[in-house]
Short mmCIF file of all heavy atoms in Angstrom, two decimals:
data_model
loop_
_atom_site.label_atom_id
_atom_site.label_comp_id
_atom_site.label_asym_id
_atom_site.label_seq_id
_atom_site.Cartn_x
_atom_site.Cartn_y
_atom_site.Cartn_z
N THR A 138 -3.11 0.38 10.45
CA THR A 138 -4.52 0.76 10.03
C THR A 138 -5.07 -0.38 9.32
O THR A 138 -4.61 -0.94 8.46
CB THR A 138 -4.35 1.98 9.19
OG1 THR A 138 -3.82 3.05 9.81
CG2 THR A 138 -5.78 2.43 8.71
N TYR A 139 -6.40 -0.77 9.83
CA TYR A 139 -7.11 -1.71 9.23
C TYR A 139 -8.38 -1.22 8.43
O TYR A 139 -9.11 -0.35 8.94
CB TYR A 139 -7.67 -2.68 10.30
CG TYR A 139 -6.53 -3.54 10.99
CD1 TYR A 139 -5.95 -3.08 12.13
CD2 TYR A 139 -6.10 -4.71 10.54
CE1 TYR A 139 -4.92 -3.68 12.75
CE2 TYR A 139 -5.11 -5.41 11.16
CZ TYR A 139 -4.53 -4.93 12.35
OH TYR A 139 -3.54 -5.62 12.85
N VAL A 140 -8.42 -1.65 7.18
CA VAL A 140 -9.50 -1.26 6.35
C VAL A 140 -10.48 -2.33 5.98
O VAL A 140 -9.97 -3.37 5.39
CB VAL A 140 -9.01 -0.50 5.14
CG1 VAL A 140 -10.13 -0.08 4.16
CG2 VAL A 140 -8.18 0.61 5.40
N ARG A 141 -11.79 -2.32 6.32
CA ARG A 141 -12.65 -3.50 5.98
C ARG A 141 -13.40 -3.06 4.74
O ARG A 141 -13.97 -2.04 4.68
CB ARG A 141 -13.53 -3.78 7.09
CG ARG A 141 -14.37 -4.99 6.94
CD ARG A 141 -14.99 -5.48 8.27
NE ARG A 141 -15.92 -4.56 8.75
CZ ARG A 141 -17.29 -4.64 8.42
NH1 ARG A 141 -17.72 -5.65 7.64
NH2 ARG A 141 -18.17 -3.79 8.92
N VAL A 142 -13.31 -4.09 3.82
CA VAL A 142 -14.18 -3.90 2.57
C VAL A 142 -14.98 -5.12 2.33
O VAL A 142 -14.80 -6.13 2.95
CB VAL A 142 -13.15 -3.64 1.30
CG1 VAL A 142 -12.31 -2.48 1.51
CG2 VAL A 142 -12.21 -4.80 1.16
N SER A 143 -15.93 -5.04 1.43
CA SER A 143 -16.93 -6.20 1.18
C SER A 143 -16.13 -7.23 0.27
O SER A 143 -16.41 -8.48 0.53
CB SER A 143 -18.15 -5.68 0.44
OG SER A 143 -17.86 -5.02 -0.69
N ASP A 144 -15.38 -6.85 -0.51
CA ASP A 144 -14.63 -7.77 -1.53
C ASP A 144 -13.22 -7.31 -1.71
O ASP A 144 -12.99 -6.34 -2.36
CB ASP A 144 -15.34 -7.84 -2.92
CG ASP A 144 -14.83 -8.93 -3.79
OD1 ASP A 144 -13.79 -9.57 -3.46
OD2 ASP A 144 -15.47 -9.21 -4.90
N SER A 145 -12.29 -8.02 -1.06
CA SER A 145 -10.88 -7.55 -1.14
C SER A 145 -10.31 -7.82 -2.40
O SER A 145 -9.27 -7.10 -2.82
CB SER A 145 -10.10 -8.34 -0.06
OG SER A 145 -10.18 -9.67 -0.27
N ALA A 146 -10.71 -8.79 -3.32
CA ALA A 146 -10.22 -8.96 -4.72
C ALA A 146 -10.57 -7.72 -5.54
O ALA A 146 -9.70 -7.19 -6.29
CB ALA A 146 -10.78 -10.18 -5.33
N LYS A 147 -11.86 -7.19 -5.54
CA LYS A 147 -12.15 -6.06 -6.25
C LYS A 147 -11.54 -4.74 -5.68
O LYS A 147 -11.01 -3.84 -6.45
CB LYS A 147 -13.56 -5.89 -6.15
CG LYS A 147 -14.44 -6.79 -6.93
CD LYS A 147 -15.99 -6.50 -6.81
CE LYS A 147 -16.74 -7.53 -7.66
NZ LYS A 147 -18.18 -7.25 -7.64
N ALA A 148 -11.24 -4.73 -4.35
CA ALA A 148 -10.60 -3.63 -3.82
C ALA A 148 -9.13 -3.63 -4.24
O ALA A 148 -8.49 -2.59 -4.53
CB ALA A 148 -10.58 -3.64 -2.13
N LEU A 149 -8.43 -4.78 -4.34
CA LEU A 149 -7.06 -4.90 -4.89
C LEU A 149 -6.94 -4.36 -6.22
O LEU A 149 -6.02 -3.56 -6.74
CB LEU A 149 -6.57 -6.32 -4.82
CG LEU A 149 -5.18 -6.55 -5.34
CD1 LEU A 149 -4.14 -5.78 -4.60
CD2 LEU A 149 -4.93 -8.07 -5.34
N ALA A 150 -7.98 -4.66 -7.06
CA ALA A 150 -8.08 -4.15 -8.57
C ALA A 150 -8.10 -2.59 -8.53
O ALA A 150 -7.34 -1.98 -9.22
CB ALA A 150 -9.16 -4.75 -9.29
#
Side-chain angles (χ1 to χ4, degrees):
T138 299
Y139 294 90
V140 179
R141 189 166 65 94
V142 295
S143 59
D144 187 353
S145 57
K147 287 182 181 177
L149 177 60

